[in-house]
């Protein structure tokens, strides 16, 4: 399917293209156009104290080639230039052969904390390993049905300022769900037996968002003929700044998450869990960039990314929010692993786009050009015609500020009187 010029089309025609490509149905198209897709009564059951629903733009980036398969990637984000950056990077990646990606099995870790147990707790737990494992398995039937289940348990002891703490850790294969509720259920269900064995006080029973056993990786070799040698050098210098300076590294990783979070939201995933996993992983062994860039023997730019990605194609809010289901459908991943691979590729693409823009033209110009329409609205422009006129004049002046937008708009109003 040829998506060239997609960004220039009106919304209706973009939807028609998605329909033609078999990504959405006529029903989905209605839901996407309908500002009332998430019904008030559904929203009211999702969280407490609901007083409305909050909208964000839902965009797509066609032409993401990952492991030879072409994806249309849904993104929900309010920040200008994230979608355009992804689209640009996806295009140059595609012209360079696309992304390769892989992901670990979907193993999540749950933790049970018991404070001040009887002495010899670790030995007692070891003696009862099979019994504890069997109890945990009783609560894992939900995922066993889908080929997952409890895989391993571990015991460790930690000295704290409030005494001895025993941690029992559960490795759970959660297949295509994010897994938090499932892991928590297993840990909570096993806690009374563990306490019976070692005494002490049962405290926290919760998964760890550092999904260290559930990492996704992606790689792309951007050909120097495609992006130009200057871009290769620019990206490499920008990467060195992140690798050697924590202030830049924070923003470097934020840029990666611009892409990953946008897909997480569009697919109904828990983006706070994804953020927590990414940053705690980045902090392991000293806070470091989640990507790596280097030159291959032919002078091409190689980019790699690795990070934990606890995301699902079913479960949680995905089953409740109709827009999340459409996001999942557009992306079309057959498993949570496949989804995480595409998300890793999007993170790498986003990072490449940011480094290229920052190292070459500077982010403000490109960013502010895209932001010009928002500035026009802030300045008071309402109709499409007014917004376009203010945007055009701002572009001509090269000054992208609220003050300038206001000045232009006021001038226009005076001129029309
Ligand atoms: P869930 O509880 O909605 O679904 C779990 C069930 O889905 C499983 O028991 C299984 O029976 C079923 N299922 C259907 N198809 C499946 C498949 N293909 N593979 C595996 N299971 C399948 O979802 P969940 O993923 O356990 O929990 C996710 C939710 O938990 C998210 O909404 C998240 O925000 C929330 N949460 C997060 C945290 C945290 O991150 N710290 C803590 C608590 C809750």
């Amino acid at each position: 399917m040829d998506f060239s010029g997609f960004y220039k089309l009106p919304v209706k025609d973009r939807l028609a293209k998605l329909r033609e490509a078999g990504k959405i149905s006529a029903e989905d198209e209605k839901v996407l156009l309908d500002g009332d897709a998430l019904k008030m009564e559904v929203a009211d059951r999702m969280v407490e104290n609901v007083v409305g629903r909050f909208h964000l733009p839902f965009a797509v980036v066609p032409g993401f080639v990952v492991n030879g398969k072409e994806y249309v990637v849904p993104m929900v984000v309010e920040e200008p230039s994230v979608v355009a950056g992804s689209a640009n990077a996806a295009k140059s990646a595609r012209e360079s052969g696309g992304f390769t990606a892989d992901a670990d099995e979907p193993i999540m870790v749950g933790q049970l904390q018991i404070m001040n147990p009887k002495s010899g707790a670790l030995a007692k737990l070891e003696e009862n390993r099979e019994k504890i494992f069997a109890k945990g398995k009783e609560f894992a039937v939900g995922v066993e049905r889908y080929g997952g289940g409890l895989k391993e348990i571990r015991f460790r002891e930690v000295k704290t300022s409030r005494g001895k703490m025993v941690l029992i850790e559960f490795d759970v294969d959660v297949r295509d769900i994010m897994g938090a509720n499932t892991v928590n259920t297993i840990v909570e269900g096993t806690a009374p037996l563990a306490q019976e064995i070692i005494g002490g006080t049962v405290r926290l029973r919760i998964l760890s968002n550092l999904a260290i056993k559930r990492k996704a990786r992606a790689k792309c070799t951007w050909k120097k003929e495609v992006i130009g040698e200057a871009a290769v050098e620019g990206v490499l210098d920008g990467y060195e700044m992140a690798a050697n300076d924590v202030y830049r590294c924070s923003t470097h990783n934020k840029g990666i998450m611009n892409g990953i979070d946008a897909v997480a939201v569009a697919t109904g995933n828990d983006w706070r869990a994804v953020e927590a996993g990414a940053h705690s992983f980045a902090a392991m062994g000293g806070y470091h960039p989640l990507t790596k860039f280097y030159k291959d023997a032919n002078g091409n730019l190689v980019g790699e990314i690795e990070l934990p990605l606890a995301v699902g194609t079913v479960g949680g809010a995905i089953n409740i929010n109709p827009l999340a289901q459409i996001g999942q459908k557009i992306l079309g991943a057959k498993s949570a692993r496949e989804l995480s691979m595409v998300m890793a590729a999007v993170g790498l693409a986003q990072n490449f786009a940011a480094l290229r823009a920052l190292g070459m033209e500077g982010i403000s110009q490109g960013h502010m050009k895209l932001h010009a329409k928002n500035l026009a609205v802030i300045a008071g422009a309402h109709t499409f015609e007014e917004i376009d006129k203010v945007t055009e004049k701002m572009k001509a002046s090269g000054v992208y500020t609220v003050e300038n937008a206001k000045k232009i708009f006021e001038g226009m109003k005076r001129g029309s009187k």
Side-chain angles (χ1 to χ4, degrees), residues 55-133:
H55 296 269
L56 284 172
F58 187 129
V60 295
V61 178
F64 251 102
V65 175
V66 184
N67 292 338
K69 182 172 163 186
E70 195 156 334
Y71 294 88
V72 175
V73 174
M75 294 181 114
V76 169
V77 66
E78 86 294 350
E79 190 179 345
S81 85
V82 170
V83 175
S86 250
N88 269 328
K91 183 168 182 276
S92 54
R94 190 169 67 245
E95 287 164 4
S96 300
F99 295 89
T100 52
D102 70 86
D104 301 332
E105 291 300 319
I107 304 285
M108 296 296 283
V109 180
Q111 297 183 302
L112 162 58
Q113 177 200 28
I114 299 183
M115 288 303 288
N116 297 310
K118 293 178 203 155
S119 61
L122 283 187
K124 284 197 186 86
L125 288 171
E126 210 46 73
E127 272 165 39
N128 289 279
R129 174 178 281 279
E130 272 177 39
K131 220 168 130 187
I132 299 167
F133 189 83

Side-chain angles (χ1 to χ4, degrees), residues 34-56:
D34 176 9
D36 195 36
L38 177 64
K39 300 286 173 216
M40 187 61 102
E41 53 273 26
V42 177
D44 194 26
R45 265 179 256 124
M46 286 174 83
V47 300
E48 308 75 28
N49 297 4
V50 168
V51 293
R53 288 142 302 161
F54 189 100
H55 296 269
L56 284 172

Side-chain angles (χ1 to χ4, degrees), residues 54-367:
F54 189 100
H55 296 269
L56 284 172
F58 187 129
V60 295
V61 178
F64 251 102
V65 175
V66 184
N67 292 338
K69 182 172 163 186
E70 195 156 334
Y71 294 88
V72 175
V73 174
M75 294 181 114
V76 169
V77 66
E78 86 294 350
E79 190 179 345
S81 85
V82 170
V83 175
S86 250
N88 269 328
K91 183 168 182 276
S92 54
R94 190 169 67 245
E95 287 164 4
S96 300
F99 295 89
T100 52
D102 70 86
D104 301 332
E105 291 300 319
I107 304 285
M108 296 296 283
V109 180
Q111 297 183 302
L112 162 58
Q113 177 200 28
I114 299 183
M115 288 303 288
N116 297 310
K118 293 178 203 155
S119 61
L122 283 187
K124 284 197 186 86
L125 288 171
E126 210 46 73
E127 272 165 39
N128 289 279
R129 174 178 281 279
E130 272 177 39
K131 220 168 130 187
I132 299 167
F133 189 83
K135 180 54 77 182
K137 254 174 88 66
E138 277 178 30
F139 295 92
V141 285
V143 274
E144 270 179 11
R145 217 175 294 140
Y146 296 92
L150 180 60
K151 295 293 165 196
E152 203 189 304
I153 49 173
R154 283 178 302 280
F155 313 119
R156 58 192 175 99
E157 212 170 69
V158 181
K159 280 200 188 91
T160 78
S161 61
R162 291 176 53 79
K164 209 188 289 169
M165 165 175 88
V166 159
L167 293 178
I168 306 181
E169 292 179 331
F170 300 73
D171 285 0
V172 186
D173 182 333
V174 297
R175 289 291 96 195
D176 295 320
I177 54 173
M178 180 265 178
N181 289 332
T182 305
V183 169
N184 295 347
T185 305
I186 295 169
V187 179
E188 279 177 21
T190 315
L193 173 67
Q195 189 189 32
E196 207 181 291
I197 296 167
I198 61 168
T201 311
V202 169
R203 293 292 188 198
L204 274 54
R205 290 143 283 176
I206 183 96
L207 89 157
S208 166
N209 285 113
L210 175 52
I212 196 77
K213 304 201 170 187
R214 200 180 184 183
K215 294 196 291 293
R217 289 159 285 273
K219 182 177 176 178
C220 177
T221 302
W222 275 276
K223 292 199 177 117
K224 66 172 189 288
E225 296 78 20
V226 173
I227 59 169
E229 283 181 35
V232 174
E233 301 304 325
V235 170
L236 286 173
D237 284 343
Y239 166 68
E240 282 305 316
M241 185 169 165
N244 290 285
D245 177 79
V246 73
Y247 295 93
R248 169 59 204 159
C249 192
S250 170
T251 318
H252 179 99
N253 287 341
K254 189 272 181 182
I256 293 168
M257 302 315 288
N258 272 343
I260 292 178
D261 284 347
V263 184
V265 178
T267 54
N269 273 291
D270 183 336
W271 71 93
R272 290 88 55 209
V274 170
E275 280 283 336
H279 288 285
S280 50
F281 176 66
M284 287 178 92
Y287 193 74
H288 64 276
L290 292 165
T291 52
K292 244 186 231 152
F293 284 94
Y294 55 94
K295 231 190 286 191
D296 72 5
N298 300 316
N300 301 314
L301 179 74
V302 187
E304 291 178 17
I305 185 169
E306 180 182 49
L307 77 166
L309 274 170
V311 289
T313 53
V314 284
I318 304 160
N319 294 355
I320 302 162
N321 189 339
L323 289 163
Q325 279 163 28
I326 294 176
Q328 289 278 354
K329 191 169 166 185
I330 292 173
L331 195 140
K334 303 254 175 328
S335 64
R337 281 185 67 227
E338 187 181 338
L339 172 60
S340 72
M341 289 187 231
V342 177
M343 286 173 75
V346 173
L348 179 58
Q350 199 69 51
N351 189 217
F352 165 80
L355 286 173
R356 180 160 70 165
L358 284 166
M360 310 296 284
E361 73 200 52
I363 206 85
S364 274
Q365 278 308 308
H367 198 85

